[in-house]
Amino acid sequence: MSALFDHHVHSDRSDGTVSLADRAKSVAIRPHGVSDHYPWRDKLPNEDAVKRYIDEASRLGLRVGLEYDLGVAPPLSAGTRESLHYMIGAIHQIELDGKFIKYDDAGAFVKGRLKSWKERERFTDPALQKRILERTLEVVAEGIDQEHIDILGHPTFSALQALGDPERVYPEEWQERLIDLCVKGRIAIEINESYGVPHREFLMRAARAGALFSVGTDTHFEIKPLDKTDAMIAGAALDPGRFMAGVRRLNMSA
């Protein structure tokens, strides 16, 4: 089982099934923090709830992050951001023409929870694909500049992932632009066990560009081995010294 720090772990403070107290016990299995969704319905709907979450998790000895819903979540004050050990920015839907295109069904299909994906045909439209990709870059840039995220969570997950070959749906030029945003912004690129992203060619491009990386199970259940992640790291020959370990990017060497 990998000893790399797992930044992306959910609890029952959002859509996870495990309490903060039990997460504090499972760090003995593998080092990890907690990073629940923000915002999340009635559990983490606002900044006051986030503050209570940080206080309680910290008292239990946990490293505390958030999975900040880029393009959706309301801004956090500088003080609240600074009280987090790290913040993951992730995209779960994209806004085009004032309407949100949600990725829930595509994600369930990628994870094998759905046997078919009804919206496949819609996302084969090249014009829509281009608009999604361009808007994704804009939202990530805003997350870096305005929300000061530390990690880009499941970086190449979108509805397009469910179409298949990532080298086809994510043009090399787009991949390089996303990597450049992360490198210049000094944010880590997450290797996400749950979605199995990013793919090997992306990781190799990122490594050549001098990117930082992080590990994220994205688990909502018990802590399990990072078999897929370990294989992805080995396949791209990534340097373990380039991985975050529960501290902000500014505390990492260049």
Side-chain angles (χ1 to χ4, degrees), residues 7-254:
H7 298 80
H8 198 153
V9 173
H10 295 280
S11 79
D12 62 3
R13 291 307 175 88
S14 60
D15 58 346
T17 61
V18 180
S19 70
L20 288 176
D22 284 337
R23 286 299 188 210
K25 296 174 184 176
S26 63
V27 296
I29 300 173
R30 183 177 64 247
H32 69 77
V34 286
S35 51
D36 280 292
H37 290 283
Y38 177 67
W40 189 258
R41 301 173 187 171
D42 60 335
K43 294 183 178 181
L44 286 176
N46 52 44
E47 187 160 356
D48 286 340
V50 170
K51 290 177 180 178
R52 291 192 294 272
Y53 167 73
I54 295 170
D55 287 345
E56 184 171 344
S58 296
R59 286 199 302 271
L60 290 167
L62 286 160
R63 295 290 178 96
V64 192
L66 280 181
E67 185 177 8
Y68 187 93
D69 199 347
L70 295 174
V72 175
L76 293 170
S77 69
T80 298
R81 287 201 311 268
E82 290 169 4
S83 65
L84 292 163
H85 290 97
Y86 54 86
M87 187 154 72
I88 301 170
I91 296 175
H92 301 93
Q93 59 270 304
I94 207 78
E95 185 178 8
L96 295 176
D97 301 323
K99 296 181 180 179
F100 279 100
I101 298 174
K102 295 183 179 295
Y103 296 160
D104 295 353
D105 286 349
F109 177 72
V110 167
K111 294 178 179 180
R113 295 175 183 170
L114 291 178
K115 293 183 178 180
S116 62
W117 179 39
K118 296 179 180 179
E119 290 190 294
R120 174 183 289 276
E121 188 65 27
R122 177 189 184 189
F123 290 97
T124 60
D125 177 9
L128 177 60
Q129 290 179 7
K130 184 175 181 180
R131 293 191 70 197
I132 288 173
L133 292 174
E134 290 301 313
R135 182 58 185 149
T136 296
L137 294 176
E138 293 171 359
V139 171
V140 170
E142 291 166 3
I144 294 170
D145 294 339
Q146 299 174 20
E147 307 307 332
H148 308 289
I149 62 174
D150 302 286
I151 299 168
L152 180 58
H154 40 73
T156 57
F157 167 67
S158 74
L160 305 185
Q161 182 190 353
L163 295 174
D165 182 9
E167 282 290 284
R168 180 177 60 83
V169 297
Y170 299 117
E172 181 177 346
E173 178 267 347
W174 180 86
Q175 294 181 44
E176 290 175 345
R177 290 167 66 194
L178 179 60
I179 291 166
D180 188 58
L181 281 174
C182 295
V183 171
K184 290 181 177 177
R186 296 286 295 154
I187 70 167
I189 292 170
E190 179 185 80
I191 299 177
N192 185 283
E193 176 83 9
S194 182
Y195 290 103
V197 296
H199 60 289
R200 184 174 63 89
E201 291 82 2
F202 183 100
L203 290 172
M204 293 175 69
R205 291 183 181 109
R208 288 195 296 269
L212 303 172
F213 298 96
S214 74
V215 164
T217 330
D218 203 354
T219 184
H220 296 71
F221 311 102
E222 69 272 19
I223 298 296
K224 294 181 178 179
L226 286 166
D227 296 338
K228 188 186 301 182
T229 296
D230 287 340
M232 292 164 70
I233 292 171
L238 301 182
D239 177 2
R242 302 298 296 174
F243 280 77
M244 283 181 60
V247 297
R248 294 187 180 279
R249 65 190 185 278
L250 295 180
N251 293 328
M252 296 181 66
S253 59

